[in-house]
Amino acid sequence: GAVVSQHPSRVICKSGTSVKIECRSLDFQATTMFWYRQFPKQSLMLMATSNEGSKATYEQGVEKDKFLINHASLTLSTLTVTSAHPEDSSFYICSARDRASSDNEQFFGPGTRLTVL
Amino acid sequence: AQKITQTQPGMFVQEKEAVTLDCTYDTSDPSYGLFWYKQPSSGEMIFLIYQGSYDQQNATEGRYSLNFQKARKSANLVISASQLGDSAMYFCAMREARGNQFYFGTGTSLTVIP
């Protein structure tokens, strides 16, 4: 099956710093990628939908100036958490849809665990 | 209204027994897809099984089967012959044809007892 990678897998940073998380589709092209946030023992909450070459679409309540999304190519989307604070500590997961597939499946990355001190 | 409802926050099953994880959904779109994912403690989302709204037969994938009851809007996951490695969180999800978004349930934590 298709593979999606995320980097880094785990990051610890000080409050006030910015953190960039990369999401890559390794063996397929993805015109659309999705960013989710998951707090402990909770479900995945969609933050934004990232479209290649255009602005991301953010879900209600998600600050677009705080969570910057860039989808510069068909295989890479990045999420930057700007001026991170302890309440931003969470598990961030990306997923991607295969541009060439009519299948409904989304392929998930392994996730990035962010801890803000 | 909740798009996906999972009413069992936690379930226990004896090893080698079968277990059913419940999922109901809500949509007015006639075309949709239903998914089940497994999330072990490592955090990765592992795709298990898919059921399309127009599929006539219940989906099966190895030990996983989906009990699709369209009129009741339910899509329960059945795991047969449970194994210790099945202990994880299980999420039901839906995608409507008219959109890209996946809607996830709150998950069920399954513990397989030896």
Side-chain angles (χ1 to χ4, degrees):
Chain A
V3 178
V4 175
S5 71
Q6 276 185 247
H7 178 80
S9 58
R10 187 181 294 267
V11 59
I12 301 172
C13 69
K14 291 183 179 180
S15 185
T17 60
S18 293
V19 175
K20 180 186 282 190
I21 302 169
E22 292 185 349
C23 177
R24 293 183 186 271
S25 56
L26 297 185
D27 50 2
F28 66 99
Q29 293 183 330
T31 49
T32 305
M33 290 184 172
F34 304 87
W35 287 96
Y36 296 86
R37 180 167 53 183
Q38 186 181 29
F39 292 108
K41 300 191 185 301
Q42 294 189 23
S43 187
L44 280 71
M45 299 301 297
L46 180 66
M47 299 174 66
T49 302
S50 168
N51 298 297
E52 187 265 337
S54 64
K55 291 183 179 180
T57 303
Y58 290 81
E59 294 300 302
Q60 194 173 9
V62 178
E63 299 174 59
K64 60 182 179 182
D65 294 331
K66 181 169 185 61
F67 299 99
L68 301 179
I69 291 173
N70 185 288
H71 194 153
S73 77
L74 287 171
T75 59
L76 173 65
S77 176
T78 60
L79 167 68
T80 302
V81 183
T82 62
S83 186
H85 291 284
E87 57 266 28
D88 298 323
S89 298
S90 187
F91 192 58
Y92 292 87
I93 306 176
C94 73
S95 70
R97 291 190 63 205
D98 187 345
R99 176 191 189 191
S101 173
S102 59
D103 201 342
N104 285 304
E105 187 178 350
Q106 286 188 16
F107 300 98
F108 285 85
T112 297
R113 197 166 299 280
L114 171 64
T115 302
V116 185
L117 302 176
Chain B
Q2 286 276 58
K3 289 279 188 180
I4 295 286
T5 302
Q6 293 179 253
T7 57
Q8 307 155 315
M11 289 281 286
F12 292 86
V13 64
Q14 203 76 38
E15 192 178 6
K16 300 180 185 176
E17 297 292 312
V19 63
T20 298
L21 306 184
D22 294 342
C23 173
T24 57
Y25 59 91
D26 181 31
T27 181
S28 58
D29 194 331
S31 179
Y32 52 89
L34 297 159
F35 302 78
W36 276 93
Y37 288 88
K38 172 184 178 182
Q39 188 181 41
S41 56
S42 59
E44 61 183 310
M45 294 290 283
I46 302 169
F47 168 74
L48 296 179
I49 197 166
Y50 166 79
Q51 180 87 42
S53 59
Y54 294 119
D55 292 344
Q56 294 295 316
Q57 293 189 332
N58 288 345
T60 60
E61 289 285 347
R63 293 186 299 111
Y64 304 108
S65 61
L66 201 151
N67 184 358
F68 181 44
Q69 297 190 40
K70 196 169 182 177
R72 295 186 179 183
K73 293 189 174 179
S74 75
N76 299 341
L77 175 71
V78 180
I79 305 174
S80 63
S82 297
Q83 301 172 356
L84 296 178
D86 294 334
S87 294
M89 282 291 291
Y90 288 80
F91 290 98
C92 178
M94 176 179 68
R95 177 178 169 268
E96 297 166 325
R98 61 189 168 200
N100 276 319
Q101 184 178 352
F102 264 36
Y103 299 95
F104 282 89
T106 50
T108 295
S109 175
L110 177 66
T111 302
V112 180
I113 304 167

